Amino acid sequence: MSITDELRKEARGFGRYVYTAPQADCLTAIANRIDAEHEAACAEAYGNGVMSVPIALDESQWVKLPKDADGVPIRVGDVVEWCDSGDTLTVEGIGKDIVFYIDNGGAEWTAARNKRHHKPTVEDVLREFAYGLGVPVADSYVAAAATKLRLAEGVDE
């Protein structure tokens, strides 16, 4: 319950005090003015860029998530790949139909529409596992271990 709602409740006589009709009307009018001024101040601050998040999120101000080549929304942290080369990137930021990523220590951007979500391969999982253990692993070892895992599971992938 907001402070102004508490004031209105008190004015109606549901609180600790009893007010005459003119006093109750006065308190209700004060609560209404407080709400109106607060709403106007928030709207002005949001419009001037002072507030980064509006008090009531206005759906018309939202940015839609960019979509990949398959129409799947892309979020920060997703790993996507270029459709032509298969090279991957980790999404660090999003914009209208674009994604931002880090390349050679600098921020880059690219269109989202020609990327696809990257499905982890056996090699990806092995590299991530080794990285988590703090063990440097050569690509040739990862490839050999992935082949052995595929044979053990009877998977051709």
Side-chain angles (χ1 to χ4, degrees):
M1 177 181 291
S2 70
I3 293 172
T4 51
D5 287 340
E6 288 180 44
L7 185 57
R8 287 183 190 93
K9 178 182 170 185
E10 189 67 42
R12 288 191 304 268
F14 300 123
R16 295 178 294 195
Y17 306 101
V18 177
Y19 297 97
T20 64
Q23 291 171 322
D25 291 344
C26 182
L27 290 174
T28 301
I30 290 170
N32 292 342
R33 281 199 345 256
I34 291 170
D35 281 346
E37 287 186 32
H38 181 297
E39 190 174 317
C42 287
E44 181 180 347
Y46 181 62
N48 292 335
V50 175
M51 290 175 52
S52 60
V53 177
I55 298 301
L57 292 175
D58 179 4
E59 197 170 319
S60 69
Q61 300 300 315
W62 294 2
V63 174
K64 290 185 178 179
L65 292 173
K67 293 183 179 174
D68 71 2
D70 299 318
V72 178
I74 300 174
R75 293 174 170 78
V76 173
D78 286 356
V79 177
V80 295
E81 60 187 48
W82 268 265
C83 292
D84 56 353
S85 69
D87 291 339
T88 62
L89 63 95
T90 300
V91 177
E92 302 292 339
I94 59 170
K96 183 173 172 51
D97 300 324
I98 61 171
V99 296
F100 295 90
Y101 63 101
I102 304 298
D103 187 31
N104 296 323
E108 299 287 340
W109 66 271
T110 182
R113 69 182 174 276
N114 61 350
K115 310 298 176 291
R116 283 200 163 85
H117 280 83
H118 177 69
K119 294 178 181 148
T121 63
V122 174
E123 289 85 357
D124 293 334
V125 173
L126 288 170
R127 275 192 203 90
E128 186 177 335
F129 179 73
Y131 178 78
L133 294 175
V135 178
V137 180
D139 285 341
S140 59
Y141 181 78
V142 169
T147 300
K148 289 178 184 177
L149 285 172
R150 285 190 200 98
L151 289 173
E153 289 293 318
V155 178
D156 292 335
E157 181 187 335

